Amino acid sequence: MRFKRLLMAARWVAALIPAAVAWTSSVAAVQGAVHVPPAPAPKVAPVVKPAAPKPAVTAPVASPSRLSTKPEIMASPAPVTPPVRPAQLASISSVQAFCDQAVKRMPNVTMSMCARAQLSSNGGRSVWGRPFYQRDVVSPNPTLKVLVIGGIHGDELSSSALVLHWIQQAMQTPSNVHWRFVPLINPDGLLLDSPTRTNARGVDLNRNFPTPNWDKEAAYYWRDRTKNDPRRYPGIKPLSEPESRWIHDEMERWKPNLIVSVHAPYGVLDFDGPAVAPQRLGRLYLDQVGIFPGSLGNFGGVHKRVPVVTIELPSAIRTPQEPEIRQMWLDLLRWMGERLGAG
């Protein structure tokens, strides 16, 4: 009986073993699905086709005859003077008002001296409309016409003062000359509280005359030699300024035999032109400093063949003493008599 029961238990266990194995396999399969994910499929980079090259574009090349060799003048620097005010124009609309202003600005100039000069308007006007004043001193039998100009650079105050002093010398010293004195050609620069070399548009008037090759040489000199110095800006074109234009037109109208242009402060005597240069005026000795594009000496002396004496006083804010002023005047007369035929 016992043996029969053991046999039946063994058969029952044998029947359970396949079911247990099947159950264990299913659990392992489920655990593998959760904890061991299948390796991802490797990514394949897309194939990018190279873009077709664009045809090169070649700019047309101008023929040599059409290539410009003329450099452009650079843009003007900002004007260094303030905008004009009506009161400024009203303040210099008469000779009396001009003398009031001159006495305040020019060294060694008195109201009585300016009044004795007997200046009158010559019709020319500056950028801001200020009139130019002149005085003619004419001998009974003139053989020469001489134009004397001061104040081309507004911060050279002594130059205008010297011209006013020389008006007195011309009235006191006989000579066969028709003198035309213009003490101040740049009133917009000189008559400011802080005078400037340039005019109201920021142009250096002594670089604005139409010398040969001005378009090329003035641009090069300003850009490369002065490093765009605003005090020496030559303007957008020759004679762009009414002040330089007046001198140019006066040379055409009046045809002077000699131009004397007074500057400061280098303390030398310069000369351009066909005649033999004066060796000295007073304590100023000849030292020809060179030729600048657009300068009056270059235009008048070299290009137009009108002798140009350029006086560089030693100081821009002080005139020489009275004996020196007179000696310079006498030396100028002596040279004119010897070299230009002024008796």
Side-chain angles (χ1 to χ4, degrees):
M1 187 69 178
R2 178 179 296 179
F3 175 78
K4 186 176 181 179
R5 289 180 179 174
L6 289 174
L7 181 61
M8 290 179 62
R11 291 178 178 174
W12 179 79
V13 171
L16 288 177
I17 288 173
V21 172
W23 179 83
T24 301
S25 300
S26 63
V27 170
V30 172
Q31 288 176 342
V34 173
H35 296 289
V36 187
K43 294 183 178 180
V44 179
V47 178
V48 179
K49 293 183 180 180
K54 295 182 179 180
V57 178
T58 304
V61 178
S63 63
S65 62
R66 297 180 62 186
L67 289 175
S68 174
T69 59
K70 181 175 69 175
E72 296 181 358
I73 291 291
M74 295 186 181
S76 171
V80 292
T81 51
V84 66
R85 298 189 299 271
Q88 288 177 306
L89 296 182
S91 67
I92 45 82
S93 59
S94 67
V95 175
Q96 175 70 33
F98 170 79
C99 287
D100 289 339
Q101 294 287 323
V103 169
K104 295 176 183 177
R105 298 288 182 273
M106 301 177 193
N108 197 18
V109 172
T110 64
M111 198 68 185
S112 61
M113 174 191 294
C114 191
R116 288 196 307 270
Q118 300 178 13
L119 300 170
S120 61
S121 174
N122 60 26
R125 289 188 176 271
S126 67
V127 169
W128 284 349
R130 289 182 165 112
F132 305 146
Y133 293 104
Q134 74 181 40
R135 170 65 191 275
D136 283 28
V137 179
V138 188
S139 73
N141 299 297
T143 59
L144 289 178
K145 294 188 288 186
V146 182
L147 177 63
V148 183
I149 300 171
I152 288 181
H153 293 146
D155 58 357
E156 297 169 2
L157 312 178
S158 59
S159 68
S160 291
L162 180 74
V163 175
L164 286 172
H165 280 269
W166 272 7
I167 292 175
Q168 311 303 314
Q169 297 295 327
M171 292 189 292
Q172 297 167 9
T173 310
S175 63
N176 295 330
V177 177
H178 180 172
W179 298 95
R180 178 159 293 174
F181 297 94
V182 183
L184 179 56
I185 202 68
N186 183 8
D188 293 347
L190 189 144
L191 296 179
L192 294 170
D193 292 338
S194 297
T196 63
R197 174 185 173 97
T198 58
N199 74 345
R201 282 200 282 251
V203 174
D204 181 347
L205 300 175
N206 205 36
R207 299 293 183 268
N208 193 238
F209 291 94
T211 53
N213 300 318
W214 185 95
D215 289 343
K216 178 180 179 180
E217 294 178 0
Y220 166 80
Y221 184 84
W222 182 60
R223 182 184 62 243
D224 295 346
R225 298 290 297 277
T226 77
K227 306 304 180 184
N228 298 349
D229 183 356
R231 298 179 72 250
R232 288 169 173 79
Y233 175 62
I236 60 173
K237 63 180 181 179
L239 302 179
S240 60
E241 308 309 301
E243 299 91 349
S244 55
R245 201 158 54 241
W246 184 88
I247 296 174
H248 171 272
D249 294 347
E250 185 70 0
M251 292 173 63
E252 295 295 320
R253 288 187 300 259
W254 196 54
K255 301 187 182 306
N257 305 107
L258 170 68
I259 298 173
V260 179
S261 180
V262 187
H263 290 262
Y266 294 110
V268 297
L269 180 65
D270 197 4
F271 179 80
D272 297 286
V276 176
Q279 296 303 300
R280 62 179 291 179
L281 295 184
R283 297 180 182 179
L284 303 181
Y285 287 85
L286 182 67
D287 184 3
Q288 293 175 282
V289 297
I291 296 175
F292 301 95
S295 71
L296 178 57
N298 188 350
F299 172 70
V302 178
H303 180 55
K304 301 296 287 185
R305 309 297 291 169
V306 177
V308 178
V309 172
T310 301
I311 295 172
E312 283 279 352
L313 298 174
S315 171
I317 59 175
R318 292 187 302 274
T319 62
Q321 297 296 317
E322 291 294 337
E324 178 67 8
I325 289 175
R326 179 159 179 78
Q327 188 60 54
M328 293 171 63
W329 176 257
L330 294 176
D331 288 345
L332 178 64
L333 290 181
R334 186 178 300 110
W335 172 77
M336 289 169 54
E338 293 173 355
R339 299 300 180 180
L340 302 182

